[in-house]
Amino acid sequence: MNVENRHISEIDSLTLLRDALLPNLLKEDEEDILYWAGKELARSYRFDSLKDLMQQTETFFAGELIQTKSAKKTLHFDWTGPLITHRLTEQAAPTFSLEAGFLAEGLQQLSGNYTEATYSIYQKKHLVTFLLQSDAHVFLDD
């Protein structure tokens, strides 16, 4: 098997799990369960910086994460890459709540403020955007 075929095979394997098996198992609770699973996964790691969180996200979820905007309480990211493109073109309604939960919990660890994340899908652009919002009035103790 050449490298390109192996790459497609790995993408197909990941999307088989994410877009076929999990939706069938989780049914209407898929978005919520995957979001909280992403948060739980991030709790298994410690992040030294936002850059570290971004790099870990890219490694674990096979994509490129680019920070596009930053404000006092919000961060915006673009999420792209071959796996994202594949999921967006091959699936009618792929979810990215696992990644959103992971990013929310990672930023929450870094800031100490309660953080939630949402995402938007732009299928024609092969792009997913994440919006992370922190509540500066809610501080979390470790």
Side-chain angles (χ1 to χ4, degrees), residues 50-130:
L50 181 59
K51 183 178 178 179
D52 184 34
L53 171 61
M54 292 171 65
Q55 288 174 336
Q56 292 300 326
T57 302
E58 290 176 353
T59 300
F60 295 148
F61 300 107
E64 183 180 3
L65 192 64
I66 300 166
Q67 184 178 342
T68 57
K69 295 181 189 173
S70 177
K72 188 174 182 177
K73 298 178 187 178
T74 63
L75 289 175
H76 296 256
F77 294 98
D78 284 349
W79 181 238
T80 61
L83 179 58
I84 291 85
T85 297
H86 181 76
R87 292 185 69 215
L88 291 174
T89 57
E90 298 296 322
Q91 300 301 317
T95 65
F96 294 88
S97 53
L98 182 69
E99 295 88 341
F102 187 85
L103 285 166
E105 182 65 28
L107 185 59
Q108 185 170 296
Q109 285 180 26
L110 291 169
S111 70
N113 298 324
Y114 184 74
T115 303
E116 289 292 334
T118 57
Y119 66 92
S120 299
I121 295 173
Y122 300 92
Q123 286 190 308
K124 289 182 181 179
K125 294 181 179 181
H126 303 278
L127 173 72
V128 177
T129 62
F130 293 102

